[in-house]
Each structure stands twice: as C-alpha cells, then as structure tokens.
C-alpha cells in the first residue's frame, strides 16, 4: 500500500532545498500545502481559529523535522500525517479539558436544549467568524460524524486525497479507508435526508475519474501523473 | 523533535466499524469497499458485471448507493476555504506556535463575537462585563481633574455608592496572593506580548501622578480602544436570572482569550466567588445597582450574578466601541454609567458593559 515515494514526489526537490536552508523553498512548500492542511483542520475541528493554530503547529513541526524526512513517503503524505496528529492532539485536549471543548458556534447554537443555550436561543449566526462555506445542515451533519469517519471523508471526498495516500496518512489499510468513507457517506446522506436538506441541482458529480478528485481547485499536492507509478 | 513517522495517528475508537453495515444482512463488509470503487468507476470489468447484476436484484443495495451518491454530491459542494492571511507569516517567520486560544487577542475574539449578525439572542439577556484594571489612563489631551480621581481611590468609601470599596489602585495593582485573578496580573494580558509590561508602565505613571505633582503628568493621547487594549481585563459573564449558562466560563475564555481562566476554582465551582474576590466585582455589582440596574450576587441567589437590563438595542448588534456605555467612577467616588467621554477625562477604572443580548423577559 501507499503512494510511491521520492522520485515521483514533486516536493522532493523543494524539501532538499528547504533542508539546506533555502527560505524560498520553505515558502513554496507552504504555498503548495497550506490550503489542504488548513481545510483538513478546519473540517475536523470546525473552528477557523483552531484550524489556523493547528495548521501552524503542523507546519512548524514539519519544517523543524525536515531532516528526519527520509523520503520513504511523499512529502504530502508525511506532512499530512503530522497535520492529522496535530488535529487529534487538539481533539484530545478538548476531550480532556471540557473548558477547551469549545467551538464558536456553540455560542448561539439552539441545539443545546438549555434555556437559551450558552448564549441564548435565537437565530443562529449565518456564518462562522470566518466563513466556513457550509450550510447549517451540512455543518451539523459533518460534526455528527465519528471523528475517524469524518477524517476519511474529509481527506478523500473533500480534499481529494486518493485512498492509498489517505490510508498511508492514517496508518490503516486502504480497504479500511473505503469502509469508513462508505459509512460516513451513508450517515451524512441519512442525516441530511432526514433534515430535508436538498443539494443544489447541478452540483452532482457523476463521474469521478480515477481516484483523484478536486484537483482543479486544490493546491496541487498530487502529481496526477504518478498515480500508478 | 519527534519523528512524525514514529507515531501513528491515534485514532479514537470507531465503535461503528464493526457495527451494523448499511448493507442488508448477508452482504459482507467488503461490499463497502466494492461499492466505493463502483461509484468511482474503478472496478475491473469482471467484478463490475457481478456488482451490476446484484444491483438489479437488490433494492437495499441500490438505495445504499443512491445515498452514497447524495453524500458525494454534498461533499463536492463543500468549498475549500483560503487559510487566514496571517497564517503564512506565522508559519514562515518560524514563530513559536501559539498555544491554542491563549494568543488569540481579545479584540480578535471580540470582533468575531460581535460581528453583525453573529449573535442574536432572543430570550435571555447576556451581558459581558469587562472590568478594566486600575491603570490610570488619560483619554485625549487636556483633561481636567487630573488627580482628584486618583486621590479618590484612597478615600474611604463613604458615599452613596456605599459598600463600594473604592478601587484602590495600589491594592489592585498588587499581585494577588495566589497570583490568580488579580486585575493587574500579566496573566490577564489579552495580548501576550507586553501587556503586563505596559500595565506596569501605566501603573508607574499612575503612581507618579498620585504623588501629586501635576506638572509631571505626561500628556498622552489615546483612544478608548487603545487604552482598553493595553489594560488588563477581567471578564465577567452575566446572564439573566436562572439562565446562568452552563459552561459560561468557557464562553468567557473564548471571548477574552484568557484560557484557562486564571482561577483554580473555575472547574470546581464558585467561579463567580473567585472572580468577585479577586477582581473586585463587588465594585462593579454595587455600581451597577447604584445605576439602577438590578443585580443579584451569588449571596442573593446562589446562582451567580444575574441582572436585568436592556441592551443598546434589541437586535444583539453591538454599537461601535466608542458608543458603549462606560461605568465611570467620578472624583467623589460615585459611579455613573455614561457614554465614553468624547472630550477628555481622567479615569482610574473603566467598566465596559457590553450588552450582547436582548431584553430579559
């Protein structure tokens, strides 16, 4: 399993340059990977600030550990493993310290059932502090997913990682990734159907060529040509 | 530094993984992976034929696949968000990662909380009170009564605001014995770089002024926002009676960036008692009462401070900062709730009452 390493990795030269102290290479690595890292954290944590903090933490950790990067995996895989670990560290901190278990949208979520929720029952904000681009039902449905399932769906369906790379990032078998994705999708669909959510017409994506998705709008971490190299 | 490959991502338990499959009984879990590949169009021809033949006969499987398609449609519509502009600089400058929450500036959080349309509480009044520490701040040049307010800080509390022990600057400035919630503790720096230092500087100036040499008073010009940004802030969260929200401490943390709230009692109970003790909230409460606001203290209700009043409007939108009502202690020790002075004023303590809620019912 796993993506082919080194020679096919479009980042390998950048990594070498960054390792020898070339700041422009570091900047380029940031440029190429920041968007997906941030969105991975954002969709997992639901909080733009936490996502930024976790992204920063992951980048700094990765850049500080570049000499340990042996090229056994692609940089993208190696780096996103760090991001995932940072995300899980953050989620764990939230669990350990209930006071940390705070998301900005709880301020006005009417879903708490308490009189007024934490702030008050009332109109939910239309957007998060930084727009997260989600409608309320989708946000809620994503949030309701088990973290492991959500991670699989975020990696593959939202961010366009192929199953093999997602499996390597997560340290599980490819079939496990697919199984998690399947169940996550099933739950998403069930919950959104029950809430009466109807996706916009025309948003359907009938064909998914190969395993690579969303490449067009994503920082090109993957080199599509090395998919089966 | 840890080698990232040395530790696998630590997934939380996936209780559902061995749980019921959405497929009907008799279908093995391998169908899930198969279905994913089918939807991707990556099944080899021989398998594809088998799957398609099965789908013709199996309604549940067809429905399951329809659900998958719906989820894919939804996922495809989820946009990728651009990272915040400052993230690049934060990463490339090699700045130490900010501890979660702690370095998020107060104003950053405040703006997020109070942005138009952000919060429209309907049922409960929710008031965020910010007790601004006891630094003397001159707002705008030319203020009169330079030291009277300061001196009043040393006066015995005998006025109508009785029971208000005055905000004795020196007392307030002293570190609290436990080092917890002292208003001037640098722990309260919403801006971690240097709030403590600046507060100290301001304090020194205050003491200099308090020494009585008016000619030595430096002329400084600042806006209320600037002044507040530099001042230690003690947040107090107040809600309508009976609606002291569970987890309000977390709210205060989030809003203020003071995480965790520097009080050992935050997690164990009488949060308000701690705040009252250390942050001289009694001053605030009494002052609010003196201004006609109905305030119940923990002693009254056992539930924490609650209050009924009206917000600046009923929409939950905050007015501009410079129109926020300010609780001002005048030179004779009285408190008044007024607009931020447009002219000049010398104040020793500001209490900004930020109303984020609508009228209590």
């Amino acid at each position: 399993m796993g993506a082919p390493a080194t020679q096919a990795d479009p980042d390998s030269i950048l990594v070498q340059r960054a390792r020898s102290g070339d700041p422009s290479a570091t900047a380029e690595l940031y440029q190429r990977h920041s968007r997906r890292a941030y969105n991975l954290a954002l969709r997992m944590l639901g909080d733009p600030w936490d996502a930024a903090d976790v992204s920063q933490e992951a980048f700094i950790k990765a850049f500080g550990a570049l000499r340990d990067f042996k090229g056994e995996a692609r940089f993208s895989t190696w780096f996103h493993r760090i991001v995932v670990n940072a995300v899980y560290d953050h989620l764990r901190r939230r669990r350990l310290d209930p006071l940390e278990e705070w998301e900005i949208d709880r301020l006005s979520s009417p879903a708490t059932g308490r009189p007024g929720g934490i702030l008050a029952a009332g109109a939910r904000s239309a957007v998060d502090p930084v727009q997260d681009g989600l409608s309320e039902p989708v946000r809620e449905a994503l949030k309701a997913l088990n973290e492991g399932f959500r991670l699989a769906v975020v990696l593959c369906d939202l961010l366009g990682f192929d199953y093999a790379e997602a499996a390597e990032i997560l340290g599980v078998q490819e079939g496990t990734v697919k199984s998690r994705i399947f169940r996550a999708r099933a739950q998403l669909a069930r919950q959104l159907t029950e809430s009466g959510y109807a996706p916009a017409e025309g948003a359907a994506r009938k064909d998914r060529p190969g395993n690579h998705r969303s490449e067009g709008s994503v920082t090109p971490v993957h080199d599509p040509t090395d998919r089966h190299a | 530094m840890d080698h990232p490959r040395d530790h696998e991502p630590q997934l939380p338990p996936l209780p559902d993984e061995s749980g019921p499959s959405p497929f009907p009984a008799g279908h093995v879990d391998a169908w899930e992976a198969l279905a994913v590949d089918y939807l991707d169009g990556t099944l080899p021809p021989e398998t594809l034929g088998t799957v398609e033949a099965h789908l013709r006969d199996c309604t549940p499987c067809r429905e399951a696949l329809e659900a998958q398609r719906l989820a894919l449609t939804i996922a495809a519509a989820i946009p990728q968000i651009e990272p915040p502009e400052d993230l690049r600089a934060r990463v490339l400058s090699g700045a130490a990662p900010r501890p979660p929450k702690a370095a998020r500036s107060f104003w950053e959080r405040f703006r997020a909380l109070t942005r138009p349309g952000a919060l429209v509480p309907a049922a409960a009044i929710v008031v965020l009170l910010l007790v601004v520490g006891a630094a003397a701040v001159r707002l705008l040049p030319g203020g009169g009564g330079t030291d009277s307010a300061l001196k009043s800080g040393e006066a015995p509390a005998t006025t109508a605001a009785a029971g208000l022990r005055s905000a004795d600057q020196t007392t307030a400035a002293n570190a609290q014995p436990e080092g917890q919630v002292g208003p001037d503790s640098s722990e309260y720096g919403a801006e971690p770089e240097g709030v403590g230092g600046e507060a100290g500087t301001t304090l020194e100036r205050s003491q200099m002024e308090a020494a009585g040499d008016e000619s030595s008073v430096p002329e400084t010009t600042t806006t209320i926002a600037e002044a507040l940004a530099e001042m230690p802030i003690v947040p107090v969260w107040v809600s309508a009676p009976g609606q002291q929200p569970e987890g309000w401490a977390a709210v205060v943390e989030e809003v203020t960036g003071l995480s965790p709230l520097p009080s050992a009692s935050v997690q164990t109970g009488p949060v308000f008692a701690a705040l009252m003790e250390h942050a001289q909230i009694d001053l605030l409460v009494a002052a609010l009462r003196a201004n006609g606001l109905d305030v119940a203290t923990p002693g009254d209700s056992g539930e924490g401070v609650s209050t009924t009043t009206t917000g600046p409007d009923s929409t939950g939108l905050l007015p501009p900062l410079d129109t926020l009502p300010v609780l001002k202690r005048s030179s004779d020790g009285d408190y008044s709730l007024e607009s931020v002075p447009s002219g000049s004023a010398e104040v020793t303590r500001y209490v900004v009452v930020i109303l984020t809620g609508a009228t209590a019912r």
Side-chain angles (χ1 to χ4, degrees), chain A residues 26-27 30-31 34-36 38-39 42-43 47 49-50 52-53 55-57 59-61 63-65 68 70 72-73 78 81-82 84-85 88 90 92-93 95 97 99-100 102 104 107-108 114-115 117-123 125-129 131-134 138 142 146-149 151 157-159 163 168-172 175-176 178-183 185-186 188-189 192-193 197 199 203-206 208 210-211 213 218, chain B residues 1-5 7-23 29 31-37 39-42 64-68 70-92 94-101 104 108-109 112-113 115 117-126 237 242-243 245-251 253-255 259-261 266-267 356:
Chain A
T26 312
Y30 173 84
Q31 193 63 34
S34 58
R35 192 167 169 194
R36 281 215 293 198
Y38 175 74
N39 279 271
L42 175 66
R43 299 313 181 197
D47 178 325
W49 284 296
D50 286 353
D53 287 348
S55 303
Q56 182 195 5
E57 185 186 324
F59 266 115
I60 287 177
K61 187 168 184 181
F63 288 161
D68 296 331
K70 300 292 197 296
E72 293 146 0
W78 179 81
R81 182 189 291 255
I82 296 174
V84 166
N85 276 323
Y88 271 112
H90 194 89
R92 191 177 306 115
R93 283 198 296 271
R95 277 193 291 269
D97 182 358
L99 290 185
E100 281 290 315
W102 164 252
I104 192 79
L107 270 175
S108 53
R114 287 189 222 85
I118 277 186
L119 259 195
S125 64
V127 292
D128 272 339
Q131 289 243 7
D132 70 1
L134 300 181
V138 172
L142 269 180
N146 168 293
E147 285 162 5
F149 289 0
L151 185 51
D157 285 351
L158 269 55
L159 301 179
Y163 304 124
E168 196 171 355
I169 289 171
L170 299 178
V172 300
T176 305
K178 291 177 183 174
S179 173
R180 288 178 186 172
I181 286 174
F182 184 93
R183 294 180 184 212
R185 288 175 186 164
L188 275 177
L192 286 167
T193 303
Y197 176 82
R205 185 172 48 186
K206 291 189 168 57
R208 307 171 63 213
N211 281 336
R213 299 176 288 273
V218 180
Chain B
M1 171 130 344
D2 293 339
H3 192 312
R5 286 187 64 85
H7 47 95
E8 299 289 315
Q10 289 153 17
L11 291 165
L14 295 174
D16 295 332
E17 191 139 45
S18 58
S21 164
F23 283 112
D29 284 353
W31 274 91
E32 293 173 348
L34 214 55
V36 168
D37 287 341
L39 289 163
D40 285 347
T42 55
L65 286 178
E66 276 314 302
Q68 296 282 303
L70 171 64
L72 280 169
T73 304
I74 291 160
I78 293 178
Q80 290 202 28
I81 306 297
E82 288 300 324
E85 288 171 12
D86 68 335
L87 181 58
R88 180 190 183 90
R90 282 162 60 187
V91 167
L92 296 181
R98 303 195 296 184
K101 306 282 191 293
R104 193 178 301 167
E108 190 180 359
R109 292 157 189 259
L113 188 75
R115 71 197 182 282
L119 303 166
V120 191
I125 176 174
V126 180
W237 186 264
Q243 298 194 339
E246 208 176 295
W248 73 276
V251 177
E253 287 183 9
E254 180 67 23
V255 172
S259 179
L261 282 178
V266 161
Q267 295 186 59
T356 62

Side-chain angles (χ1 to χ4, degrees), chain B:
Chain B
M1 171 130 344
D2 293 339
H3 192 312
R5 286 187 64 85
D6 287 345
H7 47 95
E8 299 289 315
Q10 289 153 17
L11 291 165
L14 295 174
D16 295 332
E17 191 139 45
S18 58
S21 164
F23 283 112
H27 294 65
V28 293
D29 284 353
W31 274 91
E32 293 173 348
L34 214 55
V36 168
D37 287 341
Y38 173 77
L39 289 163
D40 285 347
T42 55
L43 281 181
E46 62 276 14
T47 317
L48 180 64
T50 309
V51 170
E52 285 179 336
H54 174 78
L55 287 174
R56 276 193 292 273
D57 300 331
C58 182
T59 304
C61 276
R62 281 201 306 274
E63 290 172 354
L65 286 178
E66 276 314 302
Q68 296 282 303
R69 290 195 180 93
L70 171 64
L72 280 169
T73 304
I74 291 160
I78 293 178
Q80 290 202 28
I81 306 297
E82 288 300 324
E85 288 171 12
D86 68 335
L87 181 58
R88 180 190 183 90
R90 282 162 60 187
V91 167
L92 296 181
S93 71
R98 303 195 296 184
K101 306 282 191 293
R104 193 178 301 167
S105 81
F106 168 77
W107 292 112
E108 190 180 359
R109 292 157 189 259
F110 181 78
R111 278 193 299 272
L113 188 75
T114 57
R115 71 197 182 282
L119 303 166
V120 191
I125 176 174
V126 180
V127 185
L128 182 65
L129 305 174
L130 302 179
V131 182
V132 181
V137 173
R138 167 166 295 198
L139 294 164
L140 306 178
T146 303
D147 63 350
S148 59
L150 293 161
K151 283 175 178 170
S152 78
E154 301 152 17
T158 56
T159 61
L164 303 186
R165 277 191 308 100
S166 297
D168 184 324
Q169 291 179 51
T170 309
T171 301
N174 286 340
Q176 298 296 327
E178 299 82 1
Q180 288 178 341
V181 194
D184 286 341
S185 162
S186 61
E187 285 179 71
Y188 269 94
E191 306 282 357
E193 305 90 8
V195 165
E198 292 184 23
T201 304
T202 309
L203 181 64
E204 285 171 19
R205 197 176 74 211
S206 306
Q207 288 169 336
M208 196 165 62
E209 291 170 359
D213 184 357
E214 276 204 53
S215 66
S216 71
V217 174
E219 287 291 325
T220 56
T221 302
T222 185
T223 66
I224 184 81
E226 288 166 351
L228 293 180
E230 291 183 359
M231 296 171 83
I233 291 171
V234 176
V236 180
W237 186 264
V238 183
S239 71
Q243 298 194 339
Q244 180 77 12
E246 208 176 295
W248 73 276
V251 177
V252 175
E253 287 183 9
E254 180 67 23
V255 172
T256 60
L258 306 177
S259 179
L261 282 178
S263 163
S265 63
V266 161
Q267 295 186 59
T268 57
V271 178
F272 256 113
L275 285 174
M276 297 276 285
E277 177 184 352
H278 294 291
Q280 300 184 350
I281 305 300
D282 53 337
L283 284 173
L284 168 63
V285 170
L288 288 171
R289 283 173 168 161
N291 283 275
L293 301 178
D294 174 19
V295 180
T297 65
D300 299 331
S301 67
E303 284 289 334
V305 174
S306 55
T307 182
T308 55
T309 184
T310 56
D313 62 38
S314 61
T315 66
L317 303 185
L318 279 174
L321 184 63
D322 59 4
T323 66
L324 287 176
V326 179
L327 186 69
K328 182 189 175 189
R329 194 186 66 178
S330 65
S331 56
D332 57 5
D334 282 341
Y335 287 79
S336 60
L337 199 60
E338 60 184 44
S339 300
V340 171
S342 55
S344 53
E346 184 83 17
V347 297
T348 55
R349 177 173 291 237
Y350 265 95
V351 176
V352 180
V353 181
I354 298 174
L355 304 169
T356 62
T359 307
R361 298 180 183 172

